[in-house]
């Protein structure tokens, strides 16, 4: 991903926060030449048993994901192979009407993180169930209502044979936080204020990030 220097994240914690807040990743692998690239949307979490670097740096971190074993993408994955995970955060169209200056050009503010890493396919059914349980705990804590999975563990075991779980050890990560940094301060403030007053969740999320810029 090409990232101009002024759109880079102020700190690595921005990338970690974006992944945690937007955990539905697009996993991309080259696949075979006659099939073209594979791309699968799937939920991803940080491995709760592997603490993050104290400074929030992603290389060396471990992520957990899972997909349907019937997916040809799963068959194409190999332990030791490389996978790209892309995460998309808040984004929105920027109309020149909010700039207050002429001439001007419209654009799209957006945030994204691309993570590359080495795959380890999980064969053990118990470890696969562990990934499923960890994913439920992470998402119920962040997005749910604290649902207790205890009475559904038997059901998990019934469906687990169809689940392909994997670990990804991060080897590199890039963040793109395009938030009007190229604009003069007063124009950037007008964009941020306009987004913040909008009823659109994407615009309000973008405004929140713009407010965190140094």
């Amino acid at each position: 991903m090409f990232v101009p220097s002024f759109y880079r994240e102020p700190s690595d914690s921005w990338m970690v926060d974006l992944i945690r807040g937007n955990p539905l990743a697009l996993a991309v692998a080259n696949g075979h030449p006659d099939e073209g690239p594979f791309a699968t949307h799937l939920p991803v979490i940080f491995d709760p048993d592997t603490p993050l670097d104290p400074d929030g740096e992603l290389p060396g971190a471990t992520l957990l994901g899972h997909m349907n074993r019937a997916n040809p993408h799963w068959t194409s994955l190999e332990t030791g192979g490389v996978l790209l995970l892309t995460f998309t955060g808040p984004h929105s169209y920027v109309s020149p009407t909010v700039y207050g200056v002429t001439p001007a050009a419209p654009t799209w503010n957006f945030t994204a993180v691309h993570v590359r890493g080495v795959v380890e396919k999980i064969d053990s059914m118990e470890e696969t169930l562990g990934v499923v349980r960890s994913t439920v705990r992470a998402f119920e804590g962040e997005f749910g209502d604290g649902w207790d999975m205890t009475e559904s563990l038997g059901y998990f075991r019934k469906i687990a044979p169809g689940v392909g779980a994997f670990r990804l050890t991060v080897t590199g990560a890039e963040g793109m936080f395009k938030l009007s940094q190229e604009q003069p301060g007063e124009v950037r403030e007008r964009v941020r204020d306009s987004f913040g007053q909008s009823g659109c969740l994407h615009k309000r999320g973008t405004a929140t990030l713009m407010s965190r810029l140094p």
Side-chain angles (χ1 to χ4, degrees):
M1 177 167 61
F2 171 64
V3 184
S5 59
F6 42 83
Y7 293 147
R8 293 195 177 277
E9 66 282 351
S11 71
D12 289 316
S13 66
W14 280 54
M15 291 197 287
V16 172
D17 290 346
L18 187 145
I19 291 171
R20 283 186 167 140
N22 305 271
L24 185 67
L26 177 63
V28 181
N30 286 336
H32 303 293
D34 57 338
E35 296 172 322
F38 286 105
T40 299
H41 294 273
L42 48 81
V44 174
I45 64 169
F46 286 98
D47 186 346
D49 295 326
T50 306
L52 276 171
D53 181 277
D55 296 324
E57 293 187 8
L58 283 170
T62 304
L63 299 172
L64 301 176
H66 65 278
M67 67 174 73
N68 193 322
R69 282 180 178 266
N71 186 339
H73 194 166
W74 173 255
T75 305
S76 76
L77 286 182
E78 296 181 357
T79 292
V82 175
L83 192 66
L84 172 69
L85 299 176
T86 71
F87 301 85
T88 302
H91 60 90
S92 188
Y93 174 71
V94 184
S95 171
T97 57
V98 303
Y99 288 164
V101 296
T102 300
T107 190
W108 202 287
N109 278 0
F110 70 94
T111 57
V113 172
H114 287 194
V115 174
R116 298 178 306 283
V118 178
V119 174
E120 177 194 350
K121 294 177 77 169
I122 295 173
D123 295 322
S124 162
M125 189 55 56
E126 288 304 315
E127 286 188 85
T128 297
L129 284 167
V131 171
V132 173
R133 288 194 294 266
S134 293
T135 302
V136 170
R137 281 192 290 267
F139 292 165
E140 278 297 320
E142 183 70 22
F143 308 108
D145 299 313
W147 174 67
D148 184 350
M149 72 182 94
T150 304
E151 294 183 3
S152 295
L153 293 180
Y155 176 65
F156 285 6
R157 286 189 177 278
K158 288 182 180 179
I159 64 175
V163 175
F166 65 88
R167 292 185 185 86
L168 183 113
T169 301
V170 179
T171 57
E174 297 168 314
M176 178 82 158
F177 291 83
K178 183 177 181 294
L179 300 168
S180 298
Q181 294 97 319
E182 79 284 2
Q183 297 290 346
E186 63 273 14
V187 174
R188 187 165 62 247
E189 288 180 10
R190 283 196 283 272
V191 174
R192 182 197 64 204
D193 292 345
S194 172
F195 280 6
Q197 296 166 14
S198 171
C200 172
L201 291 176
H202 290 300
K203 287 188 175 183
R204 294 208 302 273
T206 305
T208 297
L209 284 177
M210 293 179 73
S211 297
R212 291 176 55 191
L213 287 171

